[in-house]
Amino acid sequence: LFLKIAVDAMGGDNAPQAIGAGAVQAAKEYGVGIILVGIEQAVREELNRHPQAKTLPIEIRNASEVVDMLDSPVTVFRRKKDSSIRVANELVKSGEAVAVISAGHTGAAMATSLFVLGKLEGVERPAIATFMPTIEGTSIILDMGANVDCKPNHLLQFAVMGEVYAKYLLKIASPRVGLLSIGEEETKGNELTKEAFKLLTETSLNFIGNVEGRDVMSGKADVIVCDGFIGNVVLKASEAVAETIGLFLKTDIEKSLIRKLGYLLVRPAFQNLKRRVDYAEYGGAPLVGINGISIISHGRSSDRAIKNAVRVAAELAKSEVNKHVHDDIEKNMELARTK
């Protein structure tokens, strides 16, 4: 089955240049079809900068409107019906594409995917899942901002969806699921985490109990569950810490010639560190729980980030992850109700 992926060519700080370059790289490396959605003339001019694009399975679909970062998600959905975000999602709904990727307005991308594609049967709240580097490899944290206020059963569903994604994307046979709280003890946390803890112990998940903020990157859990308010704070704080450490190191290294010479010796280690904490390695965050595949990429996405987003989308499509989410949601919700 030849996969086609719809990419919002007008979304992101570096659009359409980075989007076009990333699409060319992805089509060449992963053997998937790309439908670039946006203002046709601008997208075609960008593709013309890449001679190899003519021999690759890349096509352009015109969309006359562009979503502005100041637009509200509701306004985008109701009034900008020919926006690149909307048209790209419609391609997934019609079956012409298996996934949609956008580095544009996060709220608009999320809301459009939710309204156009709908929720998976049995899912109460879709969530944004983010990949986080750990000492042992990679973990998945959700929700990272789609749902500021949650109920215990929402966190239960996030855990189920996170487990499925860890199985099929990270290839972990029995992912360890942790609930983000302020202490490891069952009695620690607020009412939401305490009630969610009770529900999670009744499921078939490999639930390891509460995990703390210090465990986010320790590798203690493969899937970490929290509400969108906490998750978004964790995400933004982690990005800021990584950037700040990089600036600290750069400033100190530049203070003397000896440090500069020393840096040349350890440069491979620094480059490896930078690669591991770079969001571009992961491509974007899947919006899990919708009836389709939607990848929300960082607004500053480079061509490498877009290429990797295509890779993630293709892997999700090939593994039929939504079917597994539906089945596992049904099974675990039933277990939580009967115990």
Side-chain angles (χ1 to χ4, degrees):
L1 179 64
F2 184 68
L3 303 179
K4 285 187 178 183
I5 295 169
V7 181
D8 172 12
M10 312 309 293
D13 299 346
N14 304 312
Q17 292 81 8
I19 314 300
V24 169
Q25 293 171 30
K28 184 177 180 180
E29 290 187 34
Y30 306 131
V32 297
I34 306 289
I35 305 175
L36 286 172
V37 183
I39 297 174
E40 187 171 359
Q41 183 177 348
V43 178
R44 194 169 299 284
E45 286 177 359
E46 181 54 38
L47 280 185
N48 286 340
R49 301 176 192 270
H50 306 275
Q52 67 268 45
K54 295 178 181 179
T55 62
L56 295 170
I58 300 175
E59 56 187 284
I60 300 172
R61 191 63 52 91
N62 186 56
S64 61
E65 295 174 301
V66 176
V67 173
D68 188 272
M69 293 306 291
L70 298 178
D71 290 335
S72 75
V74 174
T75 299
V76 172
F77 182 74
R78 291 180 177 174
R79 298 182 183 177
K80 291 192 171 182
K81 296 187 177 181
D82 200 42
S83 69
S84 52
I85 289 178
R86 177 68 176 267
V87 173
N89 274 278
E90 293 287 356
L91 290 173
V92 177
K93 184 179 181 180
S94 69
E96 192 169 344
V98 296
V100 56
I101 296 168
S102 178
H105 190 310
T106 298
M110 183 178 70
T112 302
S113 288
L114 177 57
F115 289 132
V116 172
L117 303 177
K119 294 182 290 186
L120 274 176
E121 184 181 354
V123 173
E124 296 180 22
R125 297 272 190 93
I128 297 175
T130 297
F131 302 101
M132 191 72 73
T134 71
I135 294 172
E136 298 183 2
T138 305
S139 66
I140 295 176
I141 306 182
L142 67 169
D143 176 31
M144 299 305 271
N147 306 279
V148 175
D149 297 305
C150 293
K151 296 178 180 178
N153 54 302
H154 297 151
L155 296 191
L156 166 59
Q157 291 199 347
F158 298 166
V160 174
M161 293 189 289
E163 187 216 30
V164 171
Y165 273 63
K167 279 183 180 178
Y168 292 95
L169 268 184
L170 304 182
K171 311 301 181 186
I172 301 170
S174 181
R176 298 160 297 168
V177 178
L179 178 63
L180 190 60
S181 189
I182 57 171
E184 295 182 354
E185 299 85 356
E186 182 179 349
T187 54
K188 291 289 184 71
N190 55 21
E191 289 304 312
L192 173 63
T193 56
K194 290 176 185 176
E195 290 300 315
F197 189 104
K198 294 176 185 176
L199 290 178
L200 287 166
T201 58
E202 305 295 342
T203 67
S204 63
L205 300 171
N206 181 13
F207 179 53
I208 63 171
N210 288 340
V211 296
E212 299 181 67
R214 64 187 178 190
D215 299 316
V216 169
M217 293 186 179
S218 72
K220 184 175 181 178
D222 303 303
V223 177
I224 298 176
V225 180
C226 57
D227 64 60
F229 182 90
I230 297 297
N232 197 261
V233 171
V234 169
L235 175 65
K236 298 294 174 56
S238 299
E239 289 181 345
V241 167
E243 290 179 5
T244 303
I245 289 174
L247 290 173
F248 283 164
L249 288 170
K250 183 179 180 181
T251 301
D252 282 349
I253 288 169
E254 290 176 347
K255 284 183 177 179
S256 73
L257 179 60
I258 292 177
R259 290 180 183 179
K260 290 179 181 178
L261 293 172
Y263 169 73
L264 294 177
L265 297 175
V266 296
R267 183 163 59 179
F270 280 117
Q271 289 175 333
N272 187 49
L273 172 64
K274 182 179 179 181
R275 193 178 305 112
R276 289 189 67 183
V277 300
D278 188 357
Y279 63 83
E281 283 293 309
Y282 306 97
L287 180 62
V288 302
I290 60 168
N291 192 24
I293 297 169
S294 177
I295 306 293
I296 299 173
S297 295
H298 202 294
R300 300 201 304 262
S301 286
S302 62
D303 53 351
R304 185 162 61 93
I306 296 302
K307 181 191 76 170
N308 284 322
V310 171
R311 173 182 54 78
V312 171
E315 288 176 358
L316 290 174
K318 290 174 183 176
S319 65
E320 297 184 318
V321 69
N322 280 340
K323 178 184 182 300
H324 299 293
V325 166
H326 174 266
D327 293 345
D328 283 15
I329 287 278
E330 195 173 68
K331 177 179 69 177
N332 284 287
M333 292 298 284
E334 184 63 31
L335 282 172
R337 281 194 294 265
T338 57
K339 290 190 178 181

